[in-house]
Amino acid sequence: EGYLFPDTYFFLPGQDPLLIIETLESNFKRKISDPKVAAAIAAYGKPLSDIVVMASLLEKEASDTESRRRIAGILWRRISINMPLQVDAVFPYIIGKNSLQLTRTDLKTESPYNTYIHKGLPPGPITNPGIDSIVAAVTPIKSNYIFYLSDLDGNFHYSVTYAQQLANQNKYLR
């Protein structure tokens, strides 16, 4: 996972599965070899595996470039201060539940992908990210924000303190 580039492909019925996988992987390599993308990845200085994992989180957390870049800044910052990522997007991958279905018990589910109980990036991608998420992972927007949430309409709200985050939860999720 993570290296099978999401795109439109045309395969004949009964096509060899290995050829399909090779085609998707080859497209991934071609996309990240674009000079601008390759330069951004190289300049960021993190291993490609970490970038792909972060990009997979961003792919599931947000749907637009600016939100992805802002969230990337928050998540990379959380890693740098040894804070759990606390990304809800891992739960459909782990237990098949989305953010609105999660319970406090679900947040304690034992899995190496559970970013509430394990610090740092998960051990692997949770989906195959598109190029926008990959670029967002290496061009994060730096800010003082450390918390964010998505309201019921999909709008993001950011906060610097936990008290502000709780206020946002009460205002936008109740």
Side-chain angles (χ1 to χ4, degrees):
E1 285 190 52
Y3 300 88
L4 304 177
F5 196 79
D7 208 341
T8 301
Y9 299 90
F10 298 98
F11 297 105
L12 296 173
Q15 193 76 52
D16 180 8
L18 291 177
L19 176 65
I20 293 171
I21 291 171
E22 288 172 7
T23 301
L24 274 66
E25 287 177 333
S26 175
N27 194 20
F28 172 86
K29 290 174 186 170
R30 186 170 45 258
K31 297 286 185 179
I32 66 165
S33 295
D34 173 275
K36 287 183 181 179
V37 175
I41 290 170
Y44 201 63
K46 299 240 185 246
L48 181 61
S49 58
D50 288 357
I51 292 166
V52 171
V53 172
M54 177 63 77
S56 76
L57 298 174
L58 300 172
E59 183 78 22
K60 291 298 188 178
E61 281 287 282
S63 60
D64 66 89
T65 302
E66 184 175 340
S67 297
R68 286 176 174 155
R69 291 185 62 220
R70 188 168 306 284
I71 291 168
I74 292 168
L75 297 179
W76 287 123
R77 183 166 181 224
R78 286 181 181 181
I79 289 170
S80 75
I81 63 171
N82 203 30
M83 178 182 173
L85 294 181
Q86 299 177 324
V87 174
D88 290 354
V90 299
F91 289 99
Y93 185 82
I94 299 169
I95 58 174
K97 288 185 177 182
N98 68 38
S99 295
L100 299 176
Q101 300 169 317
L102 291 174
T103 65
R104 292 196 188 279
T105 302
D106 293 331
L107 300 180
K108 298 174 186 170
T109 300
E110 181 49 52
S111 167
Y113 287 84
N114 186 338
T115 58
Y116 278 77
I117 60 176
H118 299 288
K119 294 179 182 176
L121 291 169
I126 60 167
T127 193
N128 296 303
I131 201 67
D132 187 69
S133 294
I134 294 168
V135 171
V138 297
T139 59
I141 296 173
K142 293 184 180 183
S143 70
N144 291 329
Y145 297 130
I146 199 154
F147 300 100
Y148 68 96
L149 62 81
S150 174
D151 66 24
L152 301 176
D153 295 321
N155 302 307
F156 285 96
H157 305 277
Y158 306 95
S159 52
V160 175
T161 68
Y162 186 61
Q164 291 170 339
Q165 175 73 350
L166 291 176
N168 282 344
Q169 287 175 351
N170 285 328
K171 183 174 182 179
Y172 298 110
L173 299 179
R174 304 276 180 222

